[in-house]
Structures are given as C-alpha cells and as structure tokens.
Amino acid sequence: MYQSKWRIFTNHTILILGALFMIMPVWIAFASSTHTREFIFQNGLQFWPGGHMIENYGAILFDPAATKGRVTALEMLFNSMVLGLGFAIGKVIISMMAAYAIVYFRFKLAVPLFWVIFSTLLLPLEVRIVPSYEVVANLGLLNSYTGLILPLIASATGTFFFRQFYRSVPDELLEAARLDGAGPVRFFIDILVPLSVTMIAAIFIIMFVVGWNQYLWPLLMTTDDQLYTIVIGIKQVYNSLYEGGQIPQFPKAFALTIMATIPPVLVVVIFQRMFIKGLVETEK
Amino acid sequence: MATVTLNQAEKTYPNGYKAIHGIDLAIKDGEFTVLVGPSGCGKSTLLRMIAGLESISAGEISIDDKVVNKVAPADRDIAMVFQNYALYPHMNNFDNMAYGLRNRGYSKTDIESKVREAARILQLEDHLERKPRQLSGGQRQRVAMGRAIVRQPKVFLFDEPLSNLDAKLRVDMRLEIKNLQQRLGITSVYVTHDQVEAMTLADRLIVMNGGVAEQIGTPIDIYEKPATKFVAGFIGSPAMNFLTAKVSDDCKHVIVGDGVMLDIDHDVAGGQAVTAGIRPEHLSLANNGDGHINAVVRMVESLGAETLVYLDFGSGADNVTLRLQGTHQFAKNDALSLTVQADKIHLFDIETGKRI
C-alpha cells in the first residue's frame, strides 16, 4: 500500500506518543527507585536516575528488614516464580488432557461435559473464592505451594483453545498413527504434543503472566511471610510506608515493583520469539 | 502372502444409513484389486472396514482366513496410503517411515536397514533428513508409500492416493505404483474414482454404486461386457452412448431414434423396450448415406491423437459421442453417417438396467 510521507510521519508520531505514554510511569518508578528515601520524601518523584540503585536493590533483594517482613524480595520472586510456573504448566497440562479426552474419545457425555467446563468461565475465582478457601483449608493445604497452585489450574480457556486446535488436526493423522501401532498415549505424546508446541507456548505465556499477577488468592492463602509472592510483597511494603515514625521507603517500594515486572516481561519476550517462529513455520 | 475375503460385509452407521450392502469378495494372494465408483458409493468405507478404521456392522472380513472383525488396525498387518498423505508434519521423513517400526519394537539396526531399503526403492535417499513440508507432492506421496512398504505388510490399502497430484505426476506415480506392487507382490486394494487409474492398475476391478458391488471382473471383461447400464456408463471415457430402443418383431434389429434399424445378435424377445449402448470408439464413419445412423455435428473436440465429435441424432432427442482416431475437420451442423457392428451393441433392460 502506498503511504505518503505525511502519513508515515503521523503514524509514527502516534505510535511513539503511545509508547511513551505506556513506558513513562515505569521509567519514573525505576528512576525514583534509585534515590535515597529522604531525597524522594523531600523532592517527590524523580525523572532522572540517582546514585543509589545498587544499595536500594541490594537491600530489598537480600535484607528481610527492608521489606518489613521476614522475607527478602529474592524469596518472594522465587515464590512468584513457583506460582507462575506451576500455574502455567499445570493449566497447560490439564487443559491439553481435557481437550484430548473431549475431542478424541467418543463417549456420550463428551459434548455436555465440554459445555460444563466452558460454563465455568462464568465463575471466576473471585466468585468461588470462599468455598475454594474452605476446601483448601480442610485439606490442610493453607500456606503451601500445593494449596496455592492446585485450586487454580483447571482452565476452561485453555481447554477451549486446545479443543479448537485438536479439531483442526486432520483425522488421517490419527488413523495413520493407529495403523502404525500407536495407542492413545503414544499418539498424544508422539504426535499431538509436538504439533501443539505453538499453542502450548501461547497458552503458557498468557497463563504465566496471569499466574504471576495473582493477588487475591495468594493473599488469602498465605498467612506465612515465607510464602508471600512479590505481588503481595509490594502491598506489604506500601502498607508499612505509613506505619511507625520513619520516613517512608518509597525507593524500595518502587524497586520491588520494578523487580515484579521483570520476569513476566522476560517470559513474554523469550516465548514470543518461539511463538512467532511457530506461527511462521506452520506445521499442519 | 495374503488373501482378503469379505463375506456379506455390511456397514450401517449409527444414524441408520446403510453405506455398504452385503459385499462378497475374495481377493487372491498378490492381486491388485481396484474399487472404483462415483463419490458416495461406499468404496472408501469398504476400504476403511478392511483397514479396521470403520467397524463392520454385519458379515465377516478375513485376512489370510483369519476373521479380523474385532482385530485392531495395527494388528491386522496392513498398511494404508492416504489421499492427503497423512505424514507426521513434525517428524523428518526417516522418522515418518520408522515410526510404525519403532512402535512394533524393531531394533535400531533393523529399522535403519528397512527404511534405507524403502528409500532406495522409492528414490528418497536424499530426502530422509528433511521434513514432509520441504518435499513436493509427489515426493510426499512416496514417503507415504515408504511408510507402507517398510513394514512389509500382508495387504496394502490405497485410498485415492493420487488425487492430490497434478495430471502428469499422476500418470508417473500410477506406473510406479503398479511397478512397485508387481515387484513386491503384495496383495493390494486401491480405491479411486478415476476410471483410467482403475482400468490401468487393476488385476481385478470392482465397480461400486450405492454400497453395492455392481460388477467384479478383470478391467477388459468389464469394459467388454458391462453387467449393468451403470457400469457401462461409468467405465470407458468418453462415456458409452445410450439410446432408447425397441427390439424389432423379428428379434434381429433394434429400432432407435426415428426408426433407424440396427442389426443385433442378442437373445432377446421381440417388441421389448430396451436401452441400447454403443461406445464412442465403436461407431465409425461411413460414406455418405451408407451408414445406419445419420446425425448432425454439434461440437468437436480435437485432442490431436483423436477427435471427439458430439452429435445430435434423429429428431434431436438423442445425443451421440463419436471417437475417431487422428484429426478430422468438421463444422457445426455437418451431417455425418455412422455405422456400428452388431456385436458392439450392448442392450440393457430398461427397468433393471441389467445387461441382456
């Protein structure tokens, strides 16, 4: 399509302004995290980085006192990583298997069951959080990674996406595999899983970010500081800003925020390459 | 190596649709059998029943005298080539061929030698490390055949394997398949809707229509003595000319069109209404006025080696196709006079369509 110079200019202006609009708050948070707390308290948010980056980030990463709890940011990052990975991997595995059962096994309840699964989209975690908590508490899983992850890994969205994908796989592949002596498990592992790599990457990205950003559920589930995720940690640090007579720890709160955003960004950047590669070299 | 026997095999779908109506068939060892018919005639269903991909509703299918109705596809010792190849897209061609062997627990060295041997036969040696999508249609088709032959199965099943290829490649692959089958001597069942493929490949041809085997025989038998009007119209290209006709009272002629008398030597009752069938290649040009049939040119197709002439006959109700060797110049509305030999006329019952 022909584009005039004027048009290219306006397009880019809009894009650049939009990008700046998005990135600016993050930048200000980063810049402000590199000053001393006294400086921020006196001068407000900063646009240019200061000289205390290593000091602030070091303290928050390794010193439990800096986060006003008994847990360092490093440990919180680890907890978040466990939650994000467990959440994403669990969802991918469960929804792949559910979709496999629904698409490839002819049992009478396949269609109604699929719609039952699908209708759970109408019941987000917030709606069922009290009964879910009750169940997990009765199972004695409070303050454990299992309790944090397990109740969240059933995924209607994932099941739906995998179902749609499997339905587009030609039946002849299944038939050829049957003639080649592959049973249901072999077919799943040898044929379907490799074919779904792109789908797996896409769902993994989305689910990892969703899992990482979980707030309400970890907040309810974890009363032990040792299990705090970084998202909860941010909340804790901000809470503690106003407690006691000290000068608020704004730079450290900002540092924690910045650190909380890095892993999801990395996951998206890394997997997106794979995702696009998968889309380009389509395997079907 | 193996025989395949169908004994009143039937297929009824859960919705009550009967796709196959009791077919009896005995395929001899090493025989190349072709199932041919229009789409929806049940030929693919029948093949898939032999493969075990469709269940058998009634009757029996045996491979080597062993009833396989309840035997899983993988245990029937058959191999199948699909229309869309059905290669595993994420595996390279070596793995595509080796997959079935691996699942059957062959040793690594065995697999290696069998796949290399198949690749040699099919001239795929240079392509083993590539993935199917990097190959042309014909090469993919060969990989699919390689996947079938590495296992040295008792029976090969082909489900319209050439219909995704372009015309020239189709002819090449047709010859190659025939060649390969004869070399390996493996009993084969081949499904196609292309009657040229059917005629050229088959040791024995089964013409199917509406879930019934209309006729089973050698291609030439079927061409020369089609059992029904359907078979007569389906086998042969261009299709046989059909004329509504009446047997004369002396039983020596049929009367077609506006009272044209054609000699016949059939055993048939006088006065009976019949369908007379004449193949386009069995009509010949006569000197003006000497022929039996006088017809008017409607359209001419020159193919170089032969010329197809479409004619209106009699009062225009009947159309006749004429096939002539070489090139001929005709203009629209030219009047032609045609002759036909008595023994080249086929008569079919007007009600049942059966050969008389």
Side-chain angles (χ1 to χ4, degrees):
Chain A
M1 192 174 78
Y2 172 74
Q3 289 190 323
S4 70
K5 278 190 177 151
W6 173 240
R7 184 157 196 173
I8 292 172
F9 176 74
T10 47
N11 283 352
H12 280 80
T13 312
I14 292 168
L15 275 175
I16 290 164
L17 284 177
L20 281 177
F21 183 75
M22 303 272 201
I23 207 79
M24 206 48 74
V26 181
W27 173 253
I28 289 173
F30 172 72
S32 302
S33 72
T34 56
H35 293 272
T36 62
R37 58 167 117 167
E38 292 82 5
F39 187 75
I40 295 286
F41 191 63
Q42 286 161 10
N43 302 303
L45 294 176
Q46 294 300 306
F47 193 76
W48 302 111
H52 301 270
M53 178 175 167
I54 294 170
E55 179 189 325
N56 286 345
Y57 280 79
I60 203 105
L61 274 175
F62 304 112
D63 180 9
T67 53
K68 297 282 180 194
R70 292 186 290 110
V71 62
T72 64
L74 202 61
E75 286 165 314
M76 290 194 284
L77 279 171
F78 176 77
N79 290 339
S80 278
M81 194 58 82
V82 170
L83 174 61
L85 286 177
F87 186 83
I89 294 170
K91 280 207 178 216
V92 166
I93 291 174
I94 293 281
S95 49
M96 274 186 95
M97 296 202 300
Y100 182 51
I102 287 167
V103 175
Y104 285 98
F105 293 85
R106 279 182 211 146
F107 57 102
K108 276 195 180 127
L109 289 176
V111 176
L113 274 180
F114 171 71
W115 290 109
V116 168
I117 293 173
F118 200 63
S119 64
T120 60
L121 280 179
L122 299 172
L123 296 172
L125 179 69
E126 288 74 12
V127 176
R128 59 186 162 89
I129 200 155
V130 175
S132 296
Y133 181 86
E134 175 77 13
V135 170
V136 173
N138 286 341
L139 289 173
L141 292 173
L142 293 176
N143 284 319
S144 71
Y145 289 131
T146 319
L148 204 55
I149 295 165
L150 202 61
L152 301 181
I153 61 172
S155 170
T157 341
T159 309
F160 179 72
F161 283 134
F162 278 114
R163 169 182 178 261
Q164 296 308 98
F165 175 73
Y166 291 162
R167 282 162 65 110
S168 73
V169 172
D171 287 345
E172 284 84 358
L173 277 188
L174 171 66
E175 290 168 355
R178 279 176 71 190
L179 291 172
D180 270 342
V185 178
R186 283 240 79 102
F187 174 67
F188 184 65
I189 293 169
D190 290 347
I191 315 279
L192 266 191
V193 173
L195 284 181
S196 338
V197 169
T198 327
M199 274 304 283
I200 293 173
I203 292 182
F204 181 82
I205 296 175
I206 298 167
M207 292 307 173
F208 179 81
V209 175
V210 171
W212 182 274
N213 290 334
Q214 280 295 317
Y215 174 68
L216 191 55
W217 182 249
L219 188 68
L220 269 181
M221 278 297 304
T222 52
T223 46
D224 180 355
D225 291 8
Q226 296 296 326
L227 278 162
Y228 276 179
T229 64
I230 195 144
V231 180
I232 304 288
I234 295 170
K235 169 85 166 66
Q236 292 305 111
V237 170
Y238 277 94
N239 265 352
S240 67
L241 290 181
Y242 305 101
E243 289 164 8
Q246 294 181 346
I247 298 172
Q249 306 213 37
F250 287 120
K252 283 173 187 162
F254 284 131
L256 205 56
T257 311
I258 293 296
M259 279 190 288
T261 59
I262 291 170
V265 169
L266 282 182
V267 165
V268 170
V269 169
I270 293 166
F271 277 83
Q272 202 174 33
R273 289 218 176 131
M274 203 173 137
F275 184 50
I276 290 168
K277 194 176 155 226
L279 282 183
V280 174
E281 308 176 357
T282 180
E283 290 262 32
K284 265 187 298 160
Chain B
M1 286 197 216
T3 59
V4 178
T5 315
L6 278 69
N7 182 12
Q8 282 299 309
E10 279 183 25
K11 175 74 193 177
T12 313
Y13 282 104
N15 64 11
Y17 175 69
K18 201 164 187 181
I20 303 286
H21 300 259
I23 287 193
D24 283 316
L25 178 63
I27 299 171
K28 291 188 223 97
D29 179 32
E31 193 174 37
F32 201 124
T33 307
V34 175
L35 297 170
V36 67
S39 45
C41 71
K43 57 190 190 299
S44 283
T45 309
L46 191 62
L47 188 80
R48 293 163 56 82
M49 285 161 70
I50 299 173
L53 298 171
E54 297 277 358
S55 62
I56 300 155
S57 313
E60 274 176 359
I61 292 182
S62 342
I63 295 174
D64 262 353
D65 301 325
K66 183 179 156 242
V67 177
V68 293
N69 283 28
K70 298 283 173 208
V71 179
D75 303 328
R76 292 188 183 194
D77 206 358
I78 48 148
M80 187 157 168
V81 179
F82 294 88
Q83 180 176 354
N84 64 0
Y85 323 128
L87 298 174
Y88 310 122
H90 58 289
M91 295 185 190
N92 68 24
N93 296 317
F94 183 95
D95 292 333
N96 259 291
M97 293 195 231
Y99 187 62
L101 298 175
R102 288 196 184 124
N103 284 336
R104 284 176 172 75
Y106 282 79
S107 75
K108 252 203 158 107
T109 48
D110 257 12
I111 293 174
E112 181 80 20
S113 71
K114 277 172 191 288
V115 173
R116 297 276 167 207
E117 171 65 10
R120 195 184 56 74
I121 294 173
L122 295 162
Q123 294 151 29
L124 284 169
E125 286 145 309
D126 300 337
H127 305 298
L128 286 177
E129 304 309 318
R130 299 210 205 161
K131 294 209 172 160
R133 68 165 175 272
Q134 293 165 308
L135 300 184
S136 68
Q139 289 167 331
R140 282 184 218 180
Q141 188 60 67
R142 280 196 206 153
V143 177
M145 299 210 324
R147 185 165 67 180
I149 65 177
V150 284
R151 296 219 318 263
Q152 292 158 344
K154 284 182 181 163
V155 185
F156 274 153
L157 304 174
F158 296 90
D159 191 1
E160 309 205 16
L162 304 184
S163 35
N164 280 6
L165 301 177
D166 62 58
K168 173 155 189 336
L169 205 51
R170 205 178 300 168
V171 175
D172 296 345
M173 287 301 290
R174 197 172 75 203
L175 292 170
E176 224 168 282
I177 289 180
K178 180 80 178 166
N179 201 337
L180 193 68
Q181 194 270 342
Q182 285 177 346
R183 187 138 54 112
L184 302 175
I186 293 177
T187 313
S188 303
V189 184
Y190 186 106
V191 161
T192 180
H193 60 261
D194 179 323
Q195 52 104 9
V196 178
E197 265 173 43
M199 294 290 289
T200 49
L201 287 172
D203 293 327
R204 204 140 56 111
L205 196 54
I206 298 158
V207 184
M208 290 190 62
N209 185 30
V212 178
E214 291 254 343
Q215 188 172 5
I216 301 177
T218 64
I220 293 306
D221 259 1
I222 290 180
Y223 175 81
E224 286 178 346
K225 292 195 178 73
T228 63
K229 188 183 163 199
F230 172 82
V231 175
F234 193 81
I235 296 296
S237 171
M240 186 186 276
N241 297 303
F242 292 113
L243 304 169
T244 43
K246 196 169 165 233
V247 181
S248 65
D249 292 335
D250 60 5
C251 306
K252 295 248 165 61
H253 303 88
V254 282
I255 307 157
V256 296
D258 306 332
V260 177
M261 307 273 271
L262 299 175
D263 294 346
I264 52 167
D265 56 359
H266 291 67
D267 186 13
V268 62
Q272 193 183 346
V274 293
T275 304
I278 306 163
R279 293 201 181 274
E281 50 271 39
H282 294 149
L283 286 165
S284 44
L285 278 178
N287 292 329
N288 247 357
D290 289 356
H292 306 110
I293 302 171
N294 293 303
V296 177
V297 176
R298 183 159 48 86
M299 208 167 77
V300 181
E301 286 180 340
S302 293
L303 304 175
E306 57 185 35
T307 306
L308 303 179
V309 189
Y310 300 92
L311 302 142
D312 286 331
F313 164 58
S315 51
D318 288 308
N319 302 317
V320 177
T321 310
L322 165 67
R323 181 185 198 170
L324 298 169
Q325 294 300 314
T327 53
H328 297 262
Q329 298 296 330
F330 297 113
K332 194 174 157 79
N333 294 330
D334 278 1
L336 297 184
S337 181
L338 309 172
T339 55
V340 59
Q341 285 175 304
D343 61 348
K344 299 291 188 194
I345 298 180
H346 308 266
L347 296 183
F348 301 99
D349 189 297
I350 211 156
E351 300 276 303
T352 61
K354 287 219 159 37
R355 180 185 187 80
I356 300 172

